[in-house]
Amino acid sequence: MTIFNRPAAASVLYDTPGPRARARYRLFGVLSLIGVAGLLWYVVTALADNGQFDAGMWDAFQYNTVQQRILDGLLSTLEAFGLAALFSLTLGALLAAGQLSDRRPVRWLCVSIVQFFRAMPLLILIVALYYAFFAKDPMWALVLGLTLYNGSVQAEIIRSGVNAVPRGQAEAAYGLGMRKTQVMMSILVPQAVRSMLPSMIGQLVVTLKDTSLGFVITYHELLFVGKAIASQPINAAGFPYIPVVLVIGPIYIAMCLLLTALARWIEARGRRGANRRTSAAA
């Protein structure tokens, strides 16, 4: 008995495109590629006409003062990020514990805090903290703003990770007479760490990039220093906007890539440790 002969590439979600459809897709792809190439050509040509690619634009980076300012900006960025990362993880753990609490007032309070600071635009929060409390020390306005916002996001990540552990794990622990604190610290959290670690590290990458908002409140982080360098004209060559972007941008990218690589290494190490424990138990 013969049944329908369907192409191997067919899908139940959509019909396989025919020759005309494939030709249209190829045409749209070529036109899109030409459009993007044309836009890039226009941007590069406009920048070249303004002298942004002239060798003289790089003269500013030959001075020790400029190099030291970039290094100081990088250190200020790392300082703000280190404090914000530590405080946000601590705050996230506390708020997650509060959201998982059996006491309703504590749970409602923590949920309200998390939802409020997750909904609050980060830039508005940083500016408000700066003008209200930290006008003389903008670093703490940046750190506290990053802590409140990212701590709320980390709280949701931790809460979701704990709730993702199969319910039978907790029920078995309660059946053995363990208290809730013991169940959380000994059973649920260790199992949840492996699943929520990538998301937590990803949010730390966001925290690192958000330190650039410090330039709005005149905190001398990397972006603020780059903007200051770009605003200084180099003789008759003009303002070195593109050279500054080509120097400051890769520094941010390198820091984010290093943090991502660290996350992958920690995740791989935890997976290997879990596999060894499973093999030993077997």
Side-chain angles (χ1 to χ4, degrees):
M1 180 177 180
T2 304
I3 59 175
F4 295 105
N5 293 322
R6 301 185 64 183
S11 172
V12 297
L13 300 178
Y14 58 89
D15 294 332
T16 302
R20 292 184 179 180
R22 289 196 296 268
R24 286 197 301 269
Y25 296 159
R26 285 193 293 267
L27 177 61
F28 293 154
V30 171
L31 292 177
S32 300
L33 183 60
I34 293 175
V36 172
L39 179 61
L40 290 176
W41 176 83
Y42 173 77
V43 172
V44 171
T45 302
L47 293 173
D49 292 341
N50 291 328
Q52 287 296 314
F53 298 114
D54 294 346
M57 286 292 184
W58 295 88
D59 291 344
F61 299 99
Q62 299 177 4
Y63 298 104
N64 293 332
T65 303
V66 173
Q67 297 173 5
Q68 186 62 44
R69 291 182 68 183
I70 294 175
L71 179 60
D72 292 341
L74 174 60
L75 295 177
S76 297
T77 294
L78 293 177
E79 181 183 10
F81 165 69
L83 293 173
L86 176 63
F87 294 157
S88 64
L89 288 174
T90 303
L91 178 63
L94 294 175
L95 290 175
Q99 291 185 102
L100 296 170
S101 175
D102 292 333
R103 299 181 179 180
R104 187 173 299 177
V106 174
R107 186 169 64 251
W108 285 356
L109 176 62
C110 292
V111 169
S112 300
I113 293 173
V114 168
Q115 296 304 321
F116 175 79
F117 285 111
R118 284 183 65 199
M120 172 69 70
L122 179 56
L123 182 58
I124 294 177
L125 180 59
I126 292 173
V127 172
L129 290 171
Y130 172 70
Y131 285 109
F133 304 106
F134 301 104
K136 296 182 179 180
D137 195 352
M139 185 195 75
W140 288 109
L142 176 62
V143 169
L144 186 56
L146 292 173
T147 298
L148 293 173
Y149 175 77
N150 292 284
S152 300
V153 177
Q154 296 285 13
E156 282 295 281
I157 293 174
I158 297 173
R159 181 191 64 81
S160 300
V162 171
N163 286 336
V165 177
R167 186 172 299 178
Q169 301 283 334
E171 294 175 351
Y174 287 131
L176 295 175
M178 299 177 68
R179 297 189 300 272
K180 183 170 183 177
T181 303
Q182 294 175 316
V183 173
M184 289 289 295
M185 300 305 298
S186 301
I187 306 297
L188 299 182
V189 172
Q191 295 186 67
V193 164
R194 289 195 296 273
S195 62
M196 64 187 181
L197 185 60
S199 298
M200 294 176 67
I201 299 295
Q203 190 60 37
L204 289 179
V205 173
V206 174
T207 305
L208 175 59
K209 292 188 292 185
D210 284 344
T211 56
S212 60
L213 296 176
F215 89 96
V216 177
I217 56 174
T218 68
Y219 177 58
H220 290 199
E221 43 77 46
L222 192 57
L223 181 59
F224 182 88
V225 171
K227 183 175 180 294
I229 297 172
S231 63
Q232 299 295 323
I234 302 177
N235 299 326
F239 299 93
Y241 296 117
I242 296 302
V244 168
V245 171
L246 295 178
V247 171
I248 301 299
I251 295 176
Y252 276 108
I253 294 172
M255 290 190 295
C256 293
L257 290 178
L258 288 174
L259 189 57
T260 303
L262 175 63
R264 292 177 178 175
W265 178 77
I266 294 175
E267 183 181 5
R269 185 175 181 180
R271 190 182 301 112
R272 288 195 299 269
N275 292 336
R276 285 196 297 267
R277 288 191 296 268
T278 303
S279 299

